[in-house]
Amino acid sequence: QKPPGPPTAQASKVEALLALWDEAGLQSIETREIEVQRTFTDFEDFWTTSLKSSLGPQVAAMPASDVETLEARVRARLPATPEGAITYGARANAIRGHVATR
């Protein structure tokens, strides 16, 4: 059985979140963007951690040669310090609201 794919990036856009929460009848809806950075000791630390996420089953289902290609391409795109550390940034949209009281 094919592992389920992760949600599309469209599902986490502020506009999509606002529409969903509004359609659910929530009020006083607020959004904000959260930025984070995480530093990994080296590429192996980054790769191992990444495979523990929802990507793991998808990568495990790939042919070994495709995994090697993917790993090489990801390695080439991530900047590392001279010591090999990789700092990776990410953003997430947060939303909150409350149910209308009657």
Side-chain angles (χ1 to χ4, degrees):
Q1 180 178 356
K2 182 178 178 184
T8 66
Q10 297 297 334
S12 66
K13 290 193 174 222
V14 171
E15 298 80 15
L17 294 170
L18 284 169
L20 180 66
W21 285 54
D22 186 54
E23 289 170 18
L26 295 169
Q27 297 183 345
S28 301
I29 301 170
E30 300 175 28
T31 63
R32 73 179 181 117
E33 186 177 85
I34 300 170
E35 291 191 41
V36 296
Q37 286 190 333
R38 182 163 183 194
T39 300
F40 300 89
T41 55
D42 53 24
F43 181 80
E44 286 69 30
D45 181 27
F46 169 83
W47 188 249
T48 302
T49 302
S50 297
L51 294 181
K52 291 177 184 174
S53 74
S54 61
L55 295 175
Q58 292 179 320
V59 173
M62 295 170 57
S65 61
D66 290 350
V67 174
E68 289 175 14
T69 300
L70 175 63
E71 185 176 347
R73 288 180 179 173
V74 171
R75 184 186 298 265
R77 293 193 71 182
L78 291 175
T81 66
E83 297 79 26
I86 294 171
T87 298
Y88 186 79
R91 288 188 302 265
N93 290 316
I95 188 165
R96 73 178 181 177
H98 65 84
V99 177
T101 56
R102 297 177 192 222

